[in-house]
């Protein structure tokens, strides 16, 4: 009995030590929103993510204040009025790779922005080898789902949903 | 067997936490968490705030000051008198800005520079510190120049250390120790250097409207009144409107700090507004 337990234990420890984990800190997340008056876009080049190839767990994290806008006033409004980055400093995705075939991947999980969490499912491209993992994806986010309120006065300026692009390269942890 | 189940249960429970562990692996950015947006505008009311125009941003300001509210209906409570200051502010770097402006009634050209030395950090450095320096040139006409005319006499200066702290997301307070220097004074015994201490602040009322106030206390050579100004900042997308009441109609620091003649209690209150519009140059 004791021997069996030790065997299982060793097996589990061993599976842990061979677990392939990939990490990256210089990913890109950009968003774009087309509106009649003014297109709104921003890019964050300091996105970090980690992927566990054994469990297929995938986690993304970024700082809201790292988004850079072409106009500083937009950036101020984004942080101060809409995303309230002083209260909700980061956005997090915690999920899992649920399907992958010929690099076409589907990821499912919880996306937290502005303190609100929603379940999302995103299709993208994921290329994996021994050394690195490349992830590219594009999806839509509805502002309403994350309680991001746009005052009616400027409603004509800002679309109700934005297009988000993700691009990150992860390297294996040795 | 029971022990075996226990171990399996223990291990699976550790798997449930795996995703949180992954999150823990992600490096928390080592850049300090700077507190920004202490004021809506680069001025509290009349005086400089610790805000600078962002790098590459050109800000055009139109400032208007009307006559006193107690000047009667014949002058439409001061609206018949108007003076204006036009100015451009430009952010060279994130921490360095320059501006140039001109006031109509006093015929003064001013040049100003602002250097941000320190930024308030969340759970770190307590205040944002900005150095502000301005030089003023009073214009003259050639046909009125007297024999003892000296160019340097047309100049005066203001130097300030601005210390501001965002107390919470709505309230910001600022201290502004100030020196005003006049190259030329009216009387020989007068001091060329005037020391004063400014206090100011803003309280956000809504996301887009804030109530601002400022007061300068003159520490030496006090020949006039201290200035007290109250105003509202109203933000509408690309513009900031500042509407305010003050006991001075001047728009340059040296003037309103040391040469304010109006008295609030007597109704010598000047209505004025600032409009600023920003242009992103690059």
């Amino acid at each position: 009995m004791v021997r069996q337990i030790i065997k299982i234990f060793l097996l589990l420890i061993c599976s842990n030590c061979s677990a392939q984990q990939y990490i990256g800190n210089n990913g890109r997340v950009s968003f774009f929103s087309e509106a009649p008056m003014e297109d709104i876009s921003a890019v964050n080049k300091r996105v970090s993510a980690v992927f566990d190839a054994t469990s297929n767990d995938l986690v993304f994290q970024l700082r809201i204040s790292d988004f850079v806008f072409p106009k500083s006033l937009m950036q101020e409004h984004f942080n101060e009025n809409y995303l309230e980055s002083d209260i909700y400093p980061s956005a997090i995705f915690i999920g899992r790779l649920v399907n992958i075939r010929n690099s076409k991947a589907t990821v499912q999980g919880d996306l937290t922005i502005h303190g609100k969490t929603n379940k999302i499912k995103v299709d993208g491209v994921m290329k994996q080898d021994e050394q690195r993992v490349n992830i590219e994806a594009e999806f839509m986010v509805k502002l309403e789902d994350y309680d991001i309120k746009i005052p009616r006065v400027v409603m004509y300026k800002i679309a109700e949903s934005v297009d988000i692009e993700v691009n990150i390269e992860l390297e294996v942890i040795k | 067997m029971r022990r075996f189940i226990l171990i399996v249960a223990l291990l699976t429970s550790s798997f449930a936490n795996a995703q949180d562990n992954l999150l823990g692996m992600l490096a928390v950015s080592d850049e300090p968490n700077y507190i920004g947006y202490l004021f809506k505008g680069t001025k509290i009311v009349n005086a400089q705030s610790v805000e600078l125009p962002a790098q590459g941003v050109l800000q055009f300001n139109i400032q208007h000051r009307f006559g006193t509210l107690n000047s009667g209906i014949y002058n439409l409570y001061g609206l018949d008198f108007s003076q204006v200051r036009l100015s451009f502010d430009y952010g060279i770097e994130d921490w360095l800005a320059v501006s140039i402006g001109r006031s109509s009634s006093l015929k003064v050209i001013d040049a100003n520079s602002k250097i941000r030395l320190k930024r308030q950090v969340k759970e770190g450095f307590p205040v944002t510190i900005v150095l502000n320096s301005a030089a003023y040139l009073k214009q003259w006409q050639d046909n009125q120049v007297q024999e003892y005319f000296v160019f340097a006499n047309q100049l005066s200066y203001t130097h300030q250390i601005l210390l501001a702290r965002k107390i919470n997301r709505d309230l910001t307070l600022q201290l502004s120790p100030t020196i005003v220097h006049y190259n030329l004074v009216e009387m020989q015994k007068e001091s060329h250097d005037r020391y004063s201490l400014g206090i100011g602040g803003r309280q956000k009322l809504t996301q887009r409207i804030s109530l601002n106030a400022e007061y300068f206390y003159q520490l030496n050579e006090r020949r006039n009144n201290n200035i007290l100004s109250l105003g509202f900042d109203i933000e509408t997308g690309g513009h900031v409107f500042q509407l305010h009441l003050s006991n001075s109609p001047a728009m340059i620091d040296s003037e309103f700090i040391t040469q304010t003649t109006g008295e609030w209690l007597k109704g010598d209150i000047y209505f004025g507004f600032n409009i600023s519009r920003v242009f992103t140059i690059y």
Side-chain angles (χ1 to χ4, degrees):
Chain A
M1 181 63 206
V2 173
R3 213 176 287 168
Q4 246 175 330
I5 290 170
I6 291 174
K7 220 189 265 176
I8 290 168
F9 203 77
L10 281 175
L11 221 138
L12 282 162
I13 288 174
C14 198
S15 85
N16 256 346
C17 67
S18 72
Q20 286 273 63
Q21 288 182 325
Y22 299 86
I23 195 163
N25 291 311
N26 295 310
R28 249 175 93 99
V29 165
S30 58
F31 68 83
F32 182 79
S33 152
E34 204 175 335
M37 290 294 284
E38 217 166 358
D39 290 342
I40 291 155
S41 66
V43 60
N44 186 327
K45 292 179 181 168
R46 299 167 73 177
V47 179
S48 55
V50 56
F51 175 61
D52 188 318
T54 320
S55 63
N56 280 336
D57 287 332
L58 179 63
V59 172
F60 276 87
Q61 180 179 261
L62 61 79
R63 218 151 79 153
I64 297 295
S65 57
D66 285 338
F67 275 102
V68 177
F69 286 69
K71 288 188 177 173
S72 62
L73 196 65
M74 276 186 188
Q75 194 164 325
E76 177 178 338
H77 294 161
F78 175 79
N79 281 292
E80 284 278 279
N81 299 346
Y82 303 137
L83 271 286
E84 302 178 277
S85 61
D86 53 336
I87 303 177
Y88 312 106
S90 56
I92 297 168
F93 172 79
I94 297 176
R96 183 166 280 156
L97 177 69
V98 291
N99 187 22
I100 182 158
R101 204 174 191 186
N102 299 332
S103 306
K104 289 206 162 112
T106 305
V107 164
Q108 215 170 353
D110 294 333
L111 177 63
T112 306
I113 306 172
H114 194 226
K116 299 284 171 301
T117 305
N118 283 292
K119 291 225 174 302
I120 61 162
K121 193 172 169 182
V122 175
D123 294 321
V125 177
M126 184 164 175
K127 290 175 186 153
Q128 182 184 356
D129 62 31
E130 283 296 305
Q131 290 307 309
R132 39 182 66 81
V133 171
N134 259 297
I135 300 169
E136 275 175 46
E138 207 179 323
F139 61 102
M140 295 284 278
V141 160
K142 274 177 92 174
L143 299 184
E144 192 185 16
D145 292 345
Y146 297 91
D147 215 2
I148 298 164
K149 292 189 193 91
I150 308 295
R152 208 172 292 158
V153 202
V154 291
M155 192 64 116
Y156 67 95
K157 264 180 135 180
I158 297 167
E160 284 160 30
S161 55
V162 294
D163 204 9
I164 297 186
E165 265 184 56
V166 182
N167 192 333
I168 191 165
E169 186 178 279
L170 314 179
E171 285 188 2
V172 72
I173 304 173
K174 276 159 199 150
Chain B
M1 192 60 200
R2 210 182 290 164
R3 235 191 285 178
F4 172 72
I5 292 172
L6 193 82
I7 289 171
V8 170
L10 231 145
L11 284 164
T12 48
S13 81
S14 86
F15 277 137
N17 278 328
Q19 289 174 324
D20 287 338
N21 292 342
L22 289 186
L23 187 61
M25 282 166 62
L26 292 178
V28 179
S29 172
D30 51 357
E31 191 182 296
N33 228 326
Y34 290 121
I35 304 281
Y37 313 118
L38 281 79
F39 291 94
K40 276 256 179 283
T42 51
K43 298 200 162 187
I44 304 176
V45 176
N46 281 309
Q48 300 281 352
S49 77
V50 289
E51 292 294 329
L52 277 68
Q55 186 181 15
V57 167
L58 182 71
Q59 179 175 305
F60 178 49
N61 307 293
I62 304 167
Q63 295 173 266
H64 261 282
R65 298 293 182 273
F66 298 101
T68 56
L69 295 183
N70 63 2
S71 61
I73 183 119
Y74 182 71
N75 293 317
L76 198 59
Y77 304 102
L79 291 190
D80 287 357
F81 307 107
S82 150
Q83 48 168 306
V84 66
R85 177 174 174 270
L86 302 175
S87 66
F88 287 100
D89 296 357
Y90 181 68
I92 297 171
E93 297 283 343
D94 205 31
W95 50 270
L96 173 66
V98 291
S99 82
I100 186 153
R102 187 180 177 280
S103 309
S104 68
S105 74
L106 301 162
K107 303 207 182 291
V108 170
I109 299 168
D110 60 278
N112 196 89
S113 70
K114 259 175 157 178
I115 299 170
R116 189 177 59 216
L117 301 180
K118 275 287 204 178
R119 296 181 72 179
Q120 187 183 342
V121 174
K122 193 173 186 178
E123 285 149 18
F125 198 74
V127 288
T128 293
I129 305 177
V130 171
L131 284 184
N132 179 60
S133 287
Y136 313 98
L137 174 64
K138 193 158 172 44
Q139 282 181 271
W140 66 95
Q141 284 179 301
D142 280 340
N143 59 0
Q144 285 172 7
V145 168
Q146 288 148 334
E147 260 175 52
Y148 52 85
F149 176 82
V150 180
F151 174 78
N153 285 345
Q154 303 298 111
L155 293 169
S156 54
Y157 306 88
T158 298
H159 302 290
Q160 296 180 298
I161 300 172
L162 312 175
L163 305 157
R165 179 171 168 83
K166 200 173 188 175
I167 309 281
N168 56 43
R169 45 191 334 235
D170 297 327
L171 178 66
T172 301
L173 294 179
Q174 180 174 312
L175 270 183
S176 324
T178 303
I179 304 174
V180 175
H181 176 89
Y182 287 99
N183 278 358
L184 180 68
V185 289
E186 281 172 25
M187 283 171 287
Q188 210 161 22
K189 59 178 183 182
E190 243 181 287
S191 164
H192 290 262
D193 292 316
R194 317 292 172 84
Y195 299 95
S196 59
L197 180 64
I199 56 170
R202 75 103 192 248
Q203 168 73 38
K204 264 197 198 176
L205 302 176
T206 71
Q207 277 301 23
R208 282 153 196 291
I209 300 174
S210 69
L211 174 64
N212 298 2
E214 71 195 14
Y215 178 73
F216 276 84
Y217 181 76
Q218 298 173 76
L219 299 166
N220 70 336
E221 286 292 337
R222 190 179 149 190
R223 285 155 196 285
N224 292 299
N225 294 324
N226 292 327
I227 183 174
L228 171 67
S229 312
L230 301 172
F232 288 100
D233 282 5
I234 302 166
E235 185 191 40
T236 65
H239 299 83
V240 178
F241 289 99
Q242 297 183 296
L243 307 176
H244 39 249
L245 297 171
S246 173
N247 54 341
S248 169
M251 289 166 273
I252 53 176
D253 308 67
S254 59
E255 212 68 38
F256 62 73
I257 292 171
T258 64
Q259 320 229 352
T260 294
T261 51
E263 266 184 57
W264 270 82
L265 293 176
K266 285 189 183 160
D268 306 329
I269 301 164
Y270 299 86
F271 171 66
F273 63 84
N274 301 341
I275 300 174
S276 72
R277 170 83 206 184
V278 294
F279 303 95
T280 303
I281 298 296
Y282 82 94

